[in-house]
Amino acid sequence: MLPGRDGRWFGASFFGFRVLHNNVLGPGKGGLRFHPDLTLEEVTSLAALMTWKCALIDVPFGGAKGGVVCDSKTLSDGELRRITRRFITELGDNIGPHTDIPAPDMYTSAETMALVYDTYDTMHPGRNNRPVVTGKPLDQGGSLGRRDASGNGVVHATEHFIKLRGLDGNHHLGGLRVVIQGFGKVGFAAAKSFARREARIVGLSDSQGAIHNEAGIDPLAALAYKRESGSLAGMPAATNLSNEDLLALDCDILVPAAVANQIHAGNAADVRARLVVEAAYDPVTREADAILQERGVSLVPDILANAGGVCVSYFEWVQNIQNQSWTEQEVERKLRHKMNHAVELVLKRQHRMRESHPDDPLAGMMRTAALALAVERVACATLERGIWP
Ligand code: GLU
């Protein structure tokens, strides 16, 4: 950045990354995030998680991730637009409809994806470039059902897990008490979808604070309050509490949908939920995994729980290639089918691993089973393809 004569900064450089982790199963796929603390290491590890997630949910993509180190909250729309266009221009042919396909992620939106598409399309005129990016606005070739897909997928995974395994004798979501940490795109969509199934949202939080109401919080009223006042804290009829207290609330299902490392060795023993569903990436540390497992708390891991987003991204890509537009019901039905199938496979694998390694606590975790299935698929495809040249 350079200081201008009037003391204001003008001109700025921003670092951006795109990592393609693996493309054995298909072109790279994964979000673009804007975040001030983004590092290459983090992007690399998120790209690897995309490889396993795409393999697990069985969409023909490899894993990728990218982003720009910037604070979208302090930048103007014009600045964000210029950052996006410059980043996509610099990426050049490192992205493409059959090479690597970006999507929205933290602090990027459908509008950002419209700019990604427009920039790429301008640089590659005369062909159908819509499949170069997913999560676009509907009139730019976006898919119905994509906006809420990650949150809806979280609820499908939870619902199917409970149907098959039960939760303290319950086999339906109706009446169960849910706490959701994070009220962004994923947390809000999940809250709506839980509420539609008559689960009771007893705790919610955003980056400013958390709220609790044993009688249940209406997600739409919470959103309206947050829009008006800037945060959830202070919402009428709810009690304010700290983030730590939110994670320790008495509930049936805890959904961390904010950022990584929220449940760790220091607070895992306080979690009172019977089921933790990882809507965010890596919200539960490996030390906490072991503590939850020992306490008999089940955990649906991130690469399964939040796979709904990339699943509907795949549907968008297919629609774009075929110049088709599916109905919302069709997208939702296909999403539910894919999520349910993945849950079944993971539970079966977990069962087998438990039986063959009864003394290994790692073998009893859904996370291990999900990773084993995903790594196996990528490994098989690699061996089938061979390494050449
Ligand atoms: N950013 C989302 C994720 O990490 C979506 C990725 C995609 O649709 O490609 O799963």
Side-chain angles (χ1 to χ4, degrees):
M1 249 191 241
L2 301 168
R5 244 184 259 147
D6 59 358
R8 287 177 37 178
W9 297 99
F10 71 92
S13 315
F14 294 89
F15 282 97
F17 315 105
R18 182 78 187 169
V19 174
L20 173 55
H21 172 256
N22 188 289
N23 59 359
V24 165
L25 291 176
K29 189 83 193 81
L32 274 186
R33 54 173 64 179
F34 288 168
H35 201 277
D37 303 327
L38 197 71
T39 62
L40 179 57
E41 288 71 24
E42 189 188 0
V43 174
T44 307
S45 107
L46 292 169
L49 281 177
M50 285 308 298
T51 301
W52 312 134
K53 180 157 52 170
C54 291
L56 180 66
I57 198 72
D58 198 15
V59 292
F61 294 134
K65 199 74 161 197
V68 178
V69 187
C70 67
D71 186 356
S72 59
K73 288 185 183 166
T74 61
L75 292 164
S76 68
D77 288 350
E79 285 166 324
L80 287 170
R81 201 165 50 235
R82 290 194 290 281
I83 287 172
T84 307
R85 287 204 188 275
R86 171 59 56 204
F87 183 47
I88 297 306
T89 310
E90 293 297 332
L91 284 177
D93 286 329
N94 287 296
I95 61 166
H98 300 284
T99 319
D100 181 2
I101 304 143
D105 204 275
M106 224 179 243
Y107 297 115
T108 56
S109 61
E111 288 66 43
T112 323
M113 300 307 117
L115 293 173
V116 171
Y117 167 61
D118 185 71
T119 309
Y120 185 90
D121 191 55
T122 306
M123 290 163 64
H124 301 82
R127 62 187 206 200
N128 172 16
N129 288 311
R130 283 185 162 180
V132 71
V133 57
T134 60
K136 301 180 290 295
L138 289 181
D139 52 8
Q140 301 292 329
S143 175
L144 286 163
R146 175 63 185 85
R147 197 196 50 197
D148 289 347
S150 303
N152 286 345
V154 166
V155 179
H156 288 313
T158 312
E159 188 171 41
H160 208 54
F161 172 88
I162 291 176
K163 181 177 166 205
L164 298 178
R165 276 282 162 88
L167 192 64
D168 291 337
N170 293 292
H171 287 272
H172 298 283
L173 280 172
L176 294 183
R177 293 163 309 151
V178 181
V179 168
I180 302 178
Q181 183 203 34
F183 203 53
K185 278 177 285 194
V186 182
F188 173 60
K192 272 192 308 183
S193 187
F194 274 119
R196 270 202 301 276
R197 287 159 171 82
E198 288 176 1
R200 196 155 25 111
I201 314 289
V202 295
L204 272 182
S205 75
D206 59 18
S207 55
Q208 325 277 314
I211 52 172
H212 172 220
N213 183 353
E214 200 48 39
I217 303 165
D218 172 7
L220 294 176
L223 183 71
Y225 181 80
K226 184 177 159 77
R227 283 213 171 121
E228 204 184 289
S229 71
S231 92
L232 290 170
M235 187 171 163
T239 320
N240 292 338
L241 69 175
S242 68
N243 184 49
E244 278 298 293
D245 290 342
L246 178 95
L247 297 174
L249 272 179
D250 189 14
C251 64
D252 300 298
I253 304 165
L254 173 61
V255 183
V259 287
N261 304 327
Q262 294 302 293
I263 303 172
H264 43 76
N267 65 4
D270 303 330
V271 169
R272 284 198 275 169
R274 306 303 303 145
L275 173 66
V276 175
V277 183
E278 291 188 316
Y281 279 110
D282 262 338
V284 179
T285 66
R286 294 306 82 91
E287 294 80 13
D289 257 353
I291 298 169
L292 294 178
Q293 160 91 351
E294 203 176 297
R295 296 183 48 228
V297 179
S298 303
L299 182 140
V300 182
D302 48 8
I303 59 167
L304 175 59
N306 70 29
V310 75
C311 188
V312 178
S313 272
Y314 164 60
F315 299 156
E316 179 174 334
W317 184 75
V318 172
Q319 290 171 78
N320 289 162
I321 288 174
Q322 301 178 343
N323 276 311
Q324 283 193 20
S325 171
W326 303 349
T327 63
E328 190 155 7
Q329 289 80 350
E330 192 172 353
V331 170
E332 183 55 22
R333 182 177 54 76
K334 287 187 155 101
L335 170 66
R336 186 167 2 99
H337 176 77
K338 273 211 168 287
M339 293 301 300
N340 290 358
H341 186 59
V343 169
E344 281 159 31
L345 289 182
V346 170
L347 288 179
K348 270 191 204 140
R349 173 59 68 98
Q350 182 198 26
H351 182 70
R352 266 180 36 212
M353 290 176 83
R354 262 188 189 155
E355 296 224 305
S356 47
H357 305 276
D359 299 325
D360 182 355
L362 261 184
M365 291 181 190
M366 277 179 85
R367 191 191 303 288
T368 316
L371 276 171
L373 271 169
V375 173
E376 196 174 274
R377 278 193 178 147
V378 176
C380 279
T382 309
L383 292 173
E384 279 161 7
R385 288 180 63 154
I387 297 171
W388 188 86

